[in-house]
Amino acid sequence: VFLKSEQRYNLKEAKELYLEMTADEKGTRTLERDEYLLDVAFGFFEREGVKFLHDVTPLHCKRLLLSLKKDRGLEPPSIDNYWKVVRKLYKRFQEMKLIKLDNPMEDVKRPKGRKKSRKRTPSIDEVRLILSHLDSRSVNSTYVSPFDAIIRFTMFTGARIGEVLHAEWGDFDLERGIWNIRCKPNCPGVEGLGWYPKWGKE
């Protein structure tokens, strides 16, 4: 039996231990996102009078999700991230034989509308307005910001901002009009960890 006693973890301890247990599985940005999500979720639980992981109930979890929608105005895809991180924390503690607790988030329905696509895209008039503004800036100034080119390129290609910021001249075949979005394990990047397209696929 690995669990020698019913140790009670306070919410701060639980968060720090979860981040430690998952540090070798996730990138820096993912860990930072998890920490932010848990800070918000556990901050809500503390305002509900909860101090320990053992004391969180499905009702607390349900109230958290309702608060994210009502008080923060979050959409279902964003609320779903909180549902997942709290559920994963309890699951990891169970897997590591640290607790003998039910997972309170598993008794709460996952937020509906989990589709990740945006509700709308810019209209033609909005695109023209943005381009017109960029044109007026370049006419009225001798200095053209590199952000102008980034904005135009992003709008015309529909590319993700990470793809645009990590593009290199060698990625483009200008004669054939092809942009190869490649995995770049040696790219310094913000965290010095390399850069990869979504799902790690070129």
Side-chain angles (χ1 to χ4, degrees):
V1 179
F2 294 98
L3 186 66
K4 300 299 183 182
S5 64
E6 285 292 333
Q7 181 173 349
R8 293 168 64 85
Y9 296 92
N10 66 42
L11 297 180
K12 182 180 179 182
E13 290 172 336
K15 181 197 75 172
E16 292 175 352
L17 189 52
Y18 174 75
L19 295 173
E20 178 187 342
M21 289 188 292
T22 58
D24 63 336
E25 305 165 13
K26 301 178 179 181
T28 304
R29 294 180 70 178
T30 303
L31 287 169
E32 289 175 351
R33 184 200 64 179
D34 285 354
E35 183 173 14
Y36 172 79
L37 295 172
L38 288 170
D39 280 340
V40 172
F42 286 178
F44 176 85
F45 293 154
E46 287 174 346
R47 290 191 295 276
E48 290 278 303
V50 175
K51 294 183 179 179
F52 296 95
L53 209 58
H54 286 61
D55 300 326
V56 179
T57 66
L59 181 58
H60 290 124
C61 294
K62 181 66 176 178
R63 286 175 174 167
L64 165 67
L65 303 186
L66 291 173
S67 172
L68 293 169
K69 180 178 181 180
K70 180 181 177 183
D71 300 332
R72 290 181 174 249
L74 298 185
E75 295 292 335
S78 297
I79 297 173
D80 189 54
N81 290 327
Y82 292 88
W83 184 91
K84 286 190 292 188
V85 75
V86 172
R87 178 178 173 274
K88 286 180 179 178
L89 181 142
Y90 275 88
K91 187 175 180 183
R92 179 53 60 95
F93 270 67
Q94 291 168 340
E95 292 170 348
M96 299 299 290
K97 306 293 190 290
L98 295 172
I99 58 174
K100 291 179 179 176
L101 296 174
D102 290 333
N103 192 330
M105 195 58 91
E106 287 188 347
D107 294 318
V108 178
K109 288 185 178 179
R110 197 167 181 177
K112 293 182 179 180
R114 296 192 298 275
K115 190 175 181 182
K116 298 294 184 181
S117 61
R118 297 185 183 276
K119 289 185 174 180
R120 62 180 293 274
T121 55
S123 68
I124 295 298
D125 287 339
E126 288 171 326
V127 170
R128 286 176 178 152
L129 188 62
I130 293 170
L131 295 175
S132 174
H133 177 71
L134 294 176
D135 289 339
S136 67
R137 281 164 46 103
S138 62
V139 168
N140 297 328
S141 173
T142 56
Y143 171 74
V144 178
S145 168
F147 285 111
D148 289 8
I150 291 173
I151 292 169
R152 290 177 192 274
F153 188 76
T154 305
M155 290 178 64
F156 289 139
T157 60
R160 296 182 177 90
I161 191 64
E163 295 168 347
V164 175
L165 294 177
H166 291 88
E168 299 172 327
W169 283 116
D171 300 338
F172 296 93
D173 183 337
L174 299 179
E175 291 184 3
R176 293 166 43 189
I178 294 175
W179 174 20
N180 179 25
I181 300 174
R182 312 182 282 116
C183 296
K184 299 180 178 181
N186 297 319
C187 175
V190 176
E191 296 130 5
L193 300 174
W195 180 83
Y196 297 85
K198 190 171 183 180
W199 310 120
K201 297 180 179 179
E202 298 194 352

